[in-house]
Amino acid sequence: MRLRQLHLLVVNGITFIRVPFILAFLVLALYHGWGVQRHLLKEAPSPSLIGAWIAVACLTCSALTDLFDGALARRWKVVTKFGAMCDPLMDKVFYLIVFPTLLWLLPIGKPEERWHALFMVILTILYLLRDQWVTFLRSVGSLYGANCAATFLGKLRTAMTFPLCGVIYLYIMVYTYPKDTMTLFRWVVYTGEAVAILLNFWSLYVYTRNYLPYIKRSISEK
């Protein structure tokens, strides 16, 4: 019993440690972005990339926690309903912090990226709306004993989004790269964002289809 409790503590700890990593990314990324902005206005020298690379490391560690908490929970056979609900909550925290941060950083040093920033606004809204809808579906499904664990498609969406955010941040960070390199990098980012939106809608459809019987049942009951 004590070993199980220790395993639960480790798994839940890995899940919740995602938040400090994300907050560290927020602080470091904003600090570096502010330095870049001041440099472009000729108010300060070019900022050191050390803080930016540490921000990338924090973002990477945050993504790895999402990979390891579930894997360890299954390996140690300590999968719980609490963990199944906490994991999507941590994903929402990730999106709520990282997406707005990228939105603020994107036009810095790249005035031509204003339309890209608008696209990111749309992507952010779609992601957050999808997550709120899935939370509602799970709430209704839980009333009837539904399995509220994330689907494979939902996990794939998350697994793809975390590194995508890292790639977008790297794209923002290397504003001094040659134009031809940045053009290739830009299309990699655009492609990733388009795939992310497609996965978002596909995941939305699958979750809605899976929980539709519970929605119909809840509507018909008094």
Side-chain angles (χ1 to χ4, degrees), residues 47-79:
S48 171
L49 288 176
I50 295 176
W53 282 112
I54 296 175
V56 172
C58 290
L59 200 62
T60 302
C61 289
S62 174
L64 290 175
T65 63
D66 183 63
L67 175 65
F68 285 113
D69 60 355
L72 287 176
R74 289 186 293 272
R75 180 177 179 179
W76 290 337
K77 298 180 180 179
V78 289
V79 177

Side-chain angles (χ1 to χ4, degrees), residues 47-203:
S48 171
L49 288 176
I50 295 176
W53 282 112
I54 296 175
V56 172
C58 290
L59 200 62
T60 302
C61 289
S62 174
L64 290 175
T65 63
D66 183 63
L67 175 65
F68 285 113
D69 60 355
L72 287 176
R74 289 186 293 272
R75 180 177 179 179
W76 290 337
K77 298 180 180 179
V78 289
V79 177
T80 63
K81 292 181 179 179
F82 177 78
M85 298 304 291
C86 282
D87 199 54
L89 173 62
M90 294 301 102
D91 292 345
K92 291 180 179 64
V93 173
F94 181 95
Y95 301 143
L96 285 168
I97 292 177
V98 175
F99 279 176
T101 303
L102 294 176
L103 279 171
W104 183 78
L105 292 171
L106 193 57
I108 295 179
K110 297 184 178 72
E112 71 278 7
E113 294 293 330
R114 291 193 181 97
W115 287 108
H116 186 189
L118 177 60
F119 186 79
M120 278 291 297
V121 170
I122 296 172
L123 186 148
T124 301
I125 292 172
L126 289 175
Y127 259 66
L128 296 180
L129 285 177
R130 177 267 183 197
D131 281 358
Q132 292 305 311
W133 175 245
V134 170
T135 298
F136 167 73
L137 292 175
R138 283 175 168 155
S139 299
V140 174
S142 65
L143 298 175
Y144 303 100
N147 180 7
C148 297
T151 64
F152 169 77
L153 192 57
K155 293 178 181 178
L156 177 63
R157 168 182 174 268
T158 301
M160 185 260 184
T161 304
F162 281 13
L164 174 63
C165 289
V167 170
I168 295 172
Y169 180 63
L170 286 174
Y171 170 70
I172 296 169
M173 206 175 72
V174 293
Y175 65 98
T176 58
Y177 269 32
K179 186 175 180 180
D180 54 343
T181 304
M182 291 305 298
T183 299
L184 176 61
F185 206 166
R186 181 180 297 117
W187 282 107
V188 170
V189 170
Y190 288 173
T191 302
E193 291 170 354
V195 172
I197 287 183
L198 289 174
L199 281 176
N200 194 69
F201 278 115
W202 190 10
S203 171

